[in-house]
Amino acid sequence: MTRSSTASATSARSHSATSAQRIFEHTVVFDEFEGRGLAGIHNSTALNTSVQAGHRIVAVCPYVKRCLSTHRDFDDATGPVNPEHLRALR
């Protein structure tokens, strides 16, 4: 399992349950950086990078789920959340 995080303005955790999947667990924008669109920029970059690397997107994070519901261009790369994914996050 891999963990990744970003710059000091945002923090996100993603995990690879398998080499073909990237689990988006949680997105945080620190208070002093709120209202600047950083979560959207961060997640857009992370989603695009994941797809380009051949990963399937598994969205546990409510913010990422909401983004995916309105940005249908990721539909072909999105997989369901399974108990295996939730166990990987423990």
Side-chain angles (χ1 to χ4, degrees):
M1 183 180 332
T2 61
R3 291 182 186 252
S4 64
S5 62
T6 60
S8 61
T10 63
S11 176
R13 291 195 299 186
S14 65
H15 306 273
S16 294
T18 70
S19 61
Q21 297 176 324
R22 179 143 308 144
I23 303 171
F24 285 79
E25 177 186 4
H26 190 59
T27 303
V28 174
V29 175
F30 299 117
D31 292 343
E32 61 268 26
F33 297 101
E34 286 184 355
R36 299 180 192 182
L38 296 176
I41 293 166
H42 167 76
N43 281 304
S44 176
T45 301
L47 291 168
N48 283 310
T49 301
S50 296
V51 171
Q52 289 170 359
H55 296 290
R56 302 255 324 139
I57 297 165
V58 179
V60 175
C61 171
Y63 184 87
V64 175
K65 283 183 186 181
R66 189 170 50 252
C67 288
L68 292 173
S69 73
T70 60
H71 295 89
R72 308 310 302 196
D73 46 327
F74 292 104
D75 283 356
D76 291 341
T78 303
V81 176
N82 296 318
E84 166 195 0
H85 302 127
L86 299 176
R87 279 193 298 274
L89 301 177
R90 293 184 186 159

